[in-house]
Amino acid sequence: MAARVALQLTGVERHYTQGDNSLSILKGVDFSLKAGQTVALVAPSGTGKSTLLHLAGLLERPDAGEVLINGVSCGTMGDQQRTAIRRNDIGFVYQFHHLLPEFTAIENIMMPQLIAGLAKAEARERSAALLDYMRIGHRAEHRPAELSGGEQQRVAIARAVANAPLVLLADEPTGNLDPETAGYVFEALEALVRQSGLAAMIATHNYQLASLMDRRVTLENGKVVELD
Ligand code: ADP
């Protein structure tokens, strides 16, 4: 059976107005990503990568076109319904970890699961397993400030997948790390994606890391174009 499409964008446009000027960033993006597929979004700064990820993650609404998550069009949904989809079906990783500083690593990963209604013991068990998988089980009780950049980012990745989303969106998740650390964080991310079968779209400037993904795309004249 063919894998289902986890994320689809059709004719997506996004324009910003600055004073009297209108800036067209996305001019009819058509893109789809199947469950279990990974794609690297490799494009220069300012071309609209973050904008695209925000639209795909239902953080913003397009000016035209549609975003479908798991085949369901989200355009006409109210904010509450979009928030529910974002919480259940989408995981985010940013360049900076955005972990809650007053909570430990494991508590940070438990948080979205508790919000989703999982029992505390179950959430703790699942979080511990994710930390082990990311090879930082021994750092579970440390707060973010006590972790290295690579460890913080691995906690952020574990948190993003804690609720077993359908789609993982990452905006330069290793952009803030030295090359060696970036390499192993990216490998951990890739292994996790493979193991869990989610669809992942990862914006990165690193071609070497991008080569680990199933597909590579770029943004050209406001549209998504396949590379190689
Ligand atoms: P990238 O992630 O590829 O660096 P962005 O999606 O962040 O690109 O931004 C694309 C372009 O849109 C940039 O020129 C940026 O200045 C502009 N832009 C992004 N967000 C806004 C906004 N809220 N208002 C006006 N312009 C914006």
Side-chain angles (χ1 to χ4, degrees), residues 51-103:
T51 300
L52 183 66
L53 289 168
H54 288 168
L55 291 166
L58 311 185
L59 289 166
E60 287 178 36
R61 290 176 188 267
D63 295 309
E66 282 204 277
V67 176
L68 295 90
I69 306 289
N70 204 22
V72 178
S73 172
C74 302
T76 56
M77 286 179 183
D79 286 342
Q80 224 173 343
Q81 212 178 346
R82 285 166 67 91
T83 302
I85 290 185
R86 204 158 56 230
R87 190 178 292 157
N88 297 323
D89 297 336
I90 300 169
F92 274 102
V93 184
Y94 299 94
Q95 183 170 356
F96 298 98
H97 58 78
H98 295 303
L99 296 170
L100 299 170
E102 67 273 34
F103 292 95

Side-chain angles (χ1 to χ4, degrees), residues 14-18 23-26 41 43-54 60 171-172 203 205 219:
R14 190 75 173 104
H15 317 286
Y16 294 116
T17 36
Q18 279 177 332
L23 199 61
S24 289
I25 303 302
L26 303 178
L41 175 58
S45 283
T47 48
K49 296 186 297 297
S50 298
T51 300
L52 183 66
L53 289 168
H54 288 168
E60 287 178 36
D171 199 350
E172 303 197 26
H205 283 300
L219 278 165

Side-chain angles (χ1 to χ4, degrees), residues 16-39:
Y16 294 116
T17 36
Q18 279 177 332
D20 291 341
N21 296 329
S22 172
L23 199 61
S24 289
I25 303 302
L26 303 178
K27 304 180 198 170
V29 167
D30 293 313
F31 172 78
S32 71
L33 188 62
K34 290 180 181 159
Q37 205 175 40
T38 58
V39 64

